[in-house]
Amino acid sequence: DKDFADYLKNNKNYAIEVFSIDRGGDKPRKDLSKWGEVKTKLDYMFYFYNYKNIHNIINPQIDKNMIKTILNKYAKTYNNYATKQEWFDSLKVDATELNFAVNNKEYKLNPENYMGNMADYCLIIRLMLTGKADSLDIYAISKIIGQDEVNDRIQRFLEAL
């Protein structure tokens, strides 16, 4: 794919950042075994990304209005945090305000008391960013694509609901 090869060459630093996500540490990612998989597995990181119908993946207890509330809240509070911990702490505050359990043990004991847990909450953000239930680190994705693109994706996702 010459267009994609040209894009990678012309955006070398961006491409290096993308391909570096989750590559370090004790358990580096092993999701890509050949170049032909990049466009399908990492489409959400590149110019050709397009939303898919992902509503069947979301916890059925979380309706469209709650999804809109979560994403509108995320749009207001997301600010390209310096650290992953700051970002996640912000998510936990927002999730708590919307009655999502941040303590999974508590959630498992009394699921009826909550809209869902942090995994459910983060899944909404992951789906908005990537269109996939399983993806690379959503903090890293957000940092690499940047605040403007995060905000654009929130708006496009909300319009598609």
Side-chain angles (χ1 to χ4, degrees), residues 21 44-45 130 135-145:
I21 298 172
Y44 52 85
M45 295 303 297
T130 70
S135 71
L136 302 176
D137 178 331
I138 57 177
Y139 170 74
I141 292 167
S142 297
K143 289 292 283 184
I144 292 170
I145 65 173

Side-chain angles (χ1 to χ4, degrees), residues 2 12 42 49-50 59 62 65 68 72 90-91 99 105 113 116 119 125 127 137 147 150:
K2 183 170 174 17
K12 182 180 177 181
L42 295 179
Y49 175 60
N50 217 344
N59 178 339
I62 304 171
N65 288 330
K68 288 178 182 179
N72 282 320
S90 171
L91 285 184
N99 197 33
K105 220 180 249 187
N113 292 342
I125 295 166
L127 292 170
D137 178 331
Q147 185 148 2
V150 169

Side-chain angles (χ1 to χ4, degrees), residues 29 31 41 47 93 95:
R29 78 174 214 255
D31 59 328
K41 291 188 176 181
Y47 64 92
V93 168

Side-chain angles (χ1 to χ4, degrees), residues 1-130:
D1 182 335
K2 183 170 174 17
D3 289 340
F4 188 49
D6 289 343
Y7 175 83
L8 293 175
K9 285 177 196 169
N10 293 331
N11 296 280
K12 182 180 177 181
N13 291 337
Y14 179 82
I16 289 170
E17 283 186 272
V18 169
F19 295 125
S20 296
I21 298 172
D22 293 338
R23 285 287 186 193
D26 295 337
K27 295 181 180 180
R29 78 174 214 255
K30 299 173 185 162
D31 59 328
L32 298 173
S33 59
K34 56 188 174 186
W35 278 108
E37 297 174 336
V38 172
K39 284 184 85 169
T40 56
K41 291 188 176 181
L42 295 179
D43 61 333
Y44 52 85
M45 295 303 297
F46 299 105
Y47 64 92
F48 44 79
Y49 175 60
N50 217 344
Y51 286 102
K52 303 161 193 83
N53 183 2
I54 48 74
H55 304 297
N56 59 337
I57 300 170
I58 298 170
N59 178 339
Q61 187 171 326
I62 304 171
D63 65 15
K64 284 185 181 182
N65 288 330
M66 179 54 72
I67 292 169
K68 288 178 182 179
T69 301
I70 290 168
L71 294 179
N72 282 320
K73 184 174 268 303
Y74 190 67
K76 288 177 187 166
T77 60
Y78 178 78
N79 73 2
N80 223 1
Y81 293 96
T83 69
K84 187 174 183 176
Q85 190 60 53
E86 288 174 337
W87 169 79
F88 194 66
D89 289 344
S90 171
L91 285 184
K92 289 193 295 189
V93 168
D94 291 348
T96 300
E97 288 176 6
L98 297 175
N99 197 33
F100 283 80
V102 295
N103 180 323
N104 212 38
K105 220 180 249 187
E106 200 173 299
Y107 177 71
K108 285 180 179 180
L109 289 173
N110 300 298
E112 68 281 353
N113 292 342
Y114 300 97
M115 287 295 302
N117 62 9
M118 278 304 291
D120 294 324
Y121 189 85
C122 290
L123 179 61
I124 303 299
I125 295 166
R126 180 178 307 280
L127 292 170
M128 174 272 299
L129 286 171
T130 70

